[in-house]
Amino acid sequence: IKKKVAEMKLKFSHMEGTSNCSDMDTHCVFDAAVKIPFRLNQNQALLTFEDEEVAQRLIKKGRHTVNLDNNKADVRVMPVPLDMGVKFELHVTISGRKINVSNIPELPIPEDWMRDKLELNFYKTQQGGGGEIENVTYDNESRRAVITFLTPGASNSFGGCPKYPFFANGRCYTLFVSSHADLHLKNCQPYCGVSKKTILLKGIQEVEEDEESVQDMIEIHFQKPSNGGGEIENIKYVSKGAAYVCFEEDTGNAI
């Protein structure tokens, strides 16, 4: 499943204790649920009721006569089939011993020499971080490396230093340093279905009234128990063009 996700602010909900803090790693879990979009076309409306029995009763009846601007309109009431959505957990472990290093300069030296220079450079750090190094993994093509320190928590001191000096061949280069994270996708669950509380109205005739007024007329009609209706949570009417309405998986409500 591939989907572009816009940048967003993350909400920190709570922190759990752990019985083993010797690795000094940071473990995070992100719960994600993709909202299900529904295309609402011209002269259509979506109504979400507080009670799903009301929605099912209206769907079962099928056709309803609605007064719109002193005109009677026969509209069709239909269920709302939803496309596939997905929810998942993203488990992230930020290492307390490893850092990622990029923007390594291209030098005319063998790879093992470059590994030695990187090890010496980060072992002799003057910025308060680093220390004795256990391993250096270097890729010449991507000019990236992973530095593994011997002491747990040693990599945490590089969190506020994205740029790092690198001395080689009598020059000072700038390396980019970032946290090393392992990501695992768990409990990935695709889902689809039909909304239980929302109905789709089709065949709404065009009238001279503005969109908001027509929406109010529809809402008044379907709120009346005498018309088989009930309390409405949300309503969306489109008189021209089209609009996308999103549904939440846990409630099946339009939002």
Side-chain angles (χ1 to χ4, degrees), residues 31-93:
D31 293 312
V34 178
K35 293 177 181 177
I36 309 173
F38 181 84
R39 180 184 170 91
L40 191 61
N41 294 317
Q42 183 173 331
N43 294 326
Q44 294 182 353
L46 284 175
L47 286 82
T48 299
F49 294 90
E50 291 183 0
D51 188 350
E52 66 180 61
E53 290 183 4
V54 175
Q56 298 307 310
R57 182 169 61 243
L58 293 171
I59 291 172
K60 188 175 182 180
K61 186 176 179 181
R63 286 187 176 272
H64 295 261
T65 301
V66 182
N67 289 322
L68 298 178
D69 194 22
N70 298 321
N71 295 320
K72 290 186 177 181
D74 291 327
V75 298
R76 289 175 293 158
V77 179
M78 305 180 67
V80 182
L82 303 177
D83 292 334
M84 189 187 74
V86 63
K87 59 181 179 180
F88 58 88
E89 292 179 358
L90 183 63
H91 291 246
V92 182
T93 300

Side-chain angles (χ1 to χ4, degrees), residues 32-37 82-88 189-196 246-255:
V34 178
K35 293 177 181 177
I36 309 173
L82 303 177
D83 292 334
M84 189 187 74
V86 63
K87 59 181 179 180
F88 58 88
Q189 298 177 355
Y191 55 85
C192 59
V194 178
S195 176
K196 293 181 179 180
C246 288
F247 284 76
E248 290 181 331
E249 183 272 339
D250 57 343
T251 61
N253 296 346
I255 57 174

Side-chain angles (χ1 to χ4, degrees), residues 30-249:
F30 300 93
D31 293 312
V34 178
K35 293 177 181 177
I36 309 173
F38 181 84
R39 180 184 170 91
L40 191 61
N41 294 317
Q42 183 173 331
N43 294 326
Q44 294 182 353
L46 284 175
L47 286 82
T48 299
F49 294 90
E50 291 183 0
D51 188 350
E52 66 180 61
E53 290 183 4
V54 175
Q56 298 307 310
R57 182 169 61 243
L58 293 171
I59 291 172
K60 188 175 182 180
K61 186 176 179 181
R63 286 187 176 272
H64 295 261
T65 301
V66 182
N67 289 322
L68 298 178
D69 194 22
N70 298 321
N71 295 320
K72 290 186 177 181
D74 291 327
V75 298
R76 289 175 293 158
V77 179
M78 305 180 67
V80 182
L82 303 177
D83 292 334
M84 189 187 74
V86 63
K87 59 181 179 180
F88 58 88
E89 292 179 358
L90 183 63
H91 291 246
V92 182
T93 300
I94 303 173
S95 176
R97 298 176 57 217
K98 296 180 180 180
I99 57 172
N100 295 329
V101 181
S102 60
N103 199 43
I104 298 173
E106 187 174 357
L107 301 176
I109 58 176
E111 286 191 24
D112 55 344
W113 288 16
M114 179 62 79
R115 283 193 294 269
D116 291 342
K117 286 184 176 293
L118 288 169
E119 180 176 355
L120 182 63
N121 196 81
F122 280 91
Y123 180 75
K124 289 184 174 182
T125 175
Q126 300 296 318
Q127 298 186 12
E132 190 170 350
I133 292 174
E134 181 181 282
N135 184 53
V136 177
T137 302
Y138 171 66
D139 180 40
N140 188 43
E141 290 187 6
S142 64
R143 292 161 56 195
R144 296 173 178 268
V146 176
I147 311 292
T148 304
F149 295 96
L150 189 64
T151 305
S155 66
N156 295 332
S157 58
F158 291 92
C161 304
K163 295 183 179 181
Y164 193 83
F166 176 61
F167 300 93
N169 292 355
R171 291 185 56 187
C172 179
Y173 301 90
T174 299
L175 306 179
F176 298 150
V177 178
S178 60
S179 300
H180 182 84
D182 290 323
L183 290 80
H184 297 282
L185 195 66
K186 293 185 178 181
N187 298 328
C188 183
Q189 298 177 355
Y191 55 85
C192 59
V194 178
S195 176
K196 293 181 179 180
K197 292 185 176 182
T198 304
I199 63 172
L200 173 65
L201 299 184
K202 286 187 175 183
I204 302 172
Q205 297 177 0
E206 293 187 20
V207 294
E208 294 182 359
E209 297 287 342
D210 58 74
E211 187 172 275
E212 185 176 350
S213 298
V214 174
Q215 181 170 293
D216 291 341
M217 295 179 203
I218 295 171
E219 185 172 6
I220 291 171
H221 176 89
F222 284 97
Q223 274 187 336
K224 293 180 179 179
S226 58
N227 295 326
E231 288 299 320
I232 296 173
E233 287 186 355
N234 287 300
I235 179 171
K236 177 61 179 177
Y237 165 63
V238 175
S239 60
K240 295 180 180 179
Y244 279 95
V245 179
C246 288
F247 284 76
E248 290 181 331
E249 183 272 339

